[in-house]
Amino acid sequence: MEYQLIDGKATATAIKQEIAEEVEAIVAAGGKQPHLAAVLVGHDGGSETYVKNKVIACEQCGFKSTLIRFEADVTEEELLACVDKLNKDEDVDGFIVQLPLPKHIDEQKIIMAVDYRKDVDGFHPINVGRMAIGLPCFISATPLGILTLLQHYHIETSGKKCVILGRSNIVGKPMAQLMMQKQYGDSTVTVCHSRSKDLKKECQEADIIIAAIGRPEFVTADMVKPGAVVIDVGTTRVEDKTRKSGFRLCGDVKFDEVAPLCSFITPVPGGVGPMTICSLMKNTLAAGKKEYYK
Ligand code: NAP
């Protein structure tokens, strides 16, 4: 089958260009340049890369960005004090605390401390709750990026059977909520996880598979129905001695054997990843415009 590759990189570039044009118009009219702050704790390679890419995306969108760094031994109190300062800083429209945090810090406590009106990651319970009942809010970046891709490629989701692999708070659960809701995916949704009994059979029946488990090449050809849409969220670093970095990013889908069966499929890298950052930019623009909250 002739499959269509979903180009997240090109889609994200086009959307960031639109955002940059809007920011230019806002600033030209005397409005405020949106400002995103990012808090980075420690020196985890993945987190360093994500934050670096977020700062670059801010530049591309014409946003102001601030990076606040802490060493891995920062105390919870110090981090909470930083969150409090950002909550009160009138120049900062939105901010993120890059996860994961070191074990001695209670992640949930930090998420709860962020002012939901500046929570551009969409992790605060107020945003999660508003999303669940279909109210305007910051939607977490990866699920929003996937929805945007599905819309951009005019992929029919209404009434389709969508299987989501993974039930994390940042991908699987919000994705399931969005795919289920009438105004977004309008699909029939099944969520699978590490205790699911017949995951292969569930996948075989799916019109849309969204894989977010972090298990390289888990989804194989025998699990995919011909004509299915496959969205690969997985980004696991696997050793690759041929690369200068010593690793490459591997998705949850065995691309070479699955792609020929699909109608649409995302690559890794260049699929969901760039859209995640692009969605954070969308949320920051909305924060700057006070679109959801005054
Ligand atoms: P996570 O918090 O580790 O959650 C993984 C989920 O997958 C859990 O619900 C787990 O089940 C389930 N799972 C693990 N092994 C499984 C198996 N063998 N069969 C079925 N289910 C299994 O991961 P996450 O934060 O959601 O991230 C998932 C992947 O997406 C990772 O590779 C991550 O790097 C990537 N990611 C990419 C982006 C992007 O922008 N591209 C953004 C976020 C995440 P239990 O709940 O039962 O443990």
Side-chain angles (χ1 to χ4, degrees):
M1 187 184 285
E2 190 66 30
Y3 66 88
Q4 189 170 350
L5 196 66
I6 298 179
D7 189 340
K9 201 171 168 199
T11 309
T13 301
I15 293 172
K16 282 186 287 186
Q17 182 58 39
E18 283 170 24
I19 294 175
E21 283 163 19
E22 194 172 338
V23 170
E24 211 179 303
I26 290 170
V27 172
K32 182 184 174 299
Q33 183 187 26
H35 181 183
L36 174 72
V39 181
L40 177 59
V41 178
H43 297 274
D44 171 77
S47 295
E48 292 264 4
T49 307
Y50 297 141
V51 170
K52 191 183 88 193
N53 289 337
K54 287 168 189 176
V55 170
I56 293 171
C58 281
E59 281 165 21
Q60 293 167 337
C61 292
F63 297 165
K64 180 175 171 185
S65 72
T66 304
L67 174 57
I68 300 159
R69 302 190 74 124
F70 289 100
E71 290 302 321
D73 62 357
V74 64
T75 65
E76 198 173 272
E77 289 68 34
E78 284 171 310
L79 206 51
L80 285 168
C82 173
V83 167
D84 187 49
K85 208 169 148 202
L86 290 168
N87 283 341
K88 289 177 181 151
D89 187 335
E90 284 187 10
D91 194 57
V92 172
D93 297 295
F95 66 97
I96 59 154
V97 180
Q98 184 66 43
L99 303 180
L101 292 171
K103 294 255 181 309
H104 66 279
I105 293 171
D106 182 347
E107 261 181 25
Q108 208 49 50
K109 207 164 163 183
I110 302 296
I111 289 170
M112 298 282 283
V114 174
D115 184 335
Y116 67 92
R117 293 165 298 188
K118 294 189 177 188
D119 169 41
V120 283
D121 257 339
F123 294 161
H124 190 284
I126 291 184
N127 283 309
V128 176
R130 288 177 68 98
M131 181 201 63
I133 55 174
L135 291 176
C137 63
F138 296 116
I139 296 174
S140 69
T142 303
L144 178 60
I146 293 169
L147 267 191
T148 308
L149 275 183
L150 293 169
Q151 286 160 359
H152 191 83
Y153 279 83
H154 306 291
I155 293 169
E156 182 64 79
T157 56
S158 180
K160 302 289 182 191
K161 182 173 165 58
C162 174
V163 169
I164 295 166
L165 304 182
R167 58 174 163 186
S168 71
N169 286 345
I170 64 164
V171 191
K173 275 186 215 159
M175 196 71 240
Q177 284 284 357
L178 292 168
M179 289 308 285
M180 173 182 27
Q181 280 185 47
K182 202 167 196 158
Q183 81 251 46
Y184 298 116
D186 203 20
S187 303
T188 304
V189 178
T190 303
V191 181
C192 297
H193 47 79
S194 68
R195 297 284 170 266
S196 297
K197 285 279 178 268
D198 210 346
L199 197 146
K200 184 173 167 181
K201 185 168 162 281
E202 295 290 353
C203 287
Q204 283 169 341
E205 290 168 2
D207 302 304
I208 302 164
I209 297 176
I210 302 176
I213 57 177
R215 299 276 177 266
E217 303 190 327
F218 181 91
V219 178
T220 45
D222 57 337
M223 296 165 76
V224 178
K225 180 168 89 172
V229 175
V230 175
I231 307 292
D232 190 352
V233 187
T235 45
T236 308
R237 284 181 168 196
V238 298
E239 194 183 277
D240 185 343
K241 292 208 170 74
T242 67
R243 304 283 175 101
K244 210 171 88 191
S245 60
F247 70 85
R248 69 186 161 86
L249 286 185
C250 189
D252 289 343
V253 176
K254 202 161 188 180
F255 185 90
D256 290 348
E257 63 175 56
V258 170
L261 289 166
C262 296
S263 52
F264 292 88
I265 186 167
T266 59
V268 175
V272 174
M275 290 304 294
T276 296
I277 294 182
C278 167
S279 300
L280 179 68
M281 299 299 117
K282 271 182 158 181
N283 282 347
T284 304
L285 178 62
K289 288 159 71 182
K290 309 275 178 276
E291 207 164 292
Y292 307 136
Y293 308 112
K294 291 286 165 246

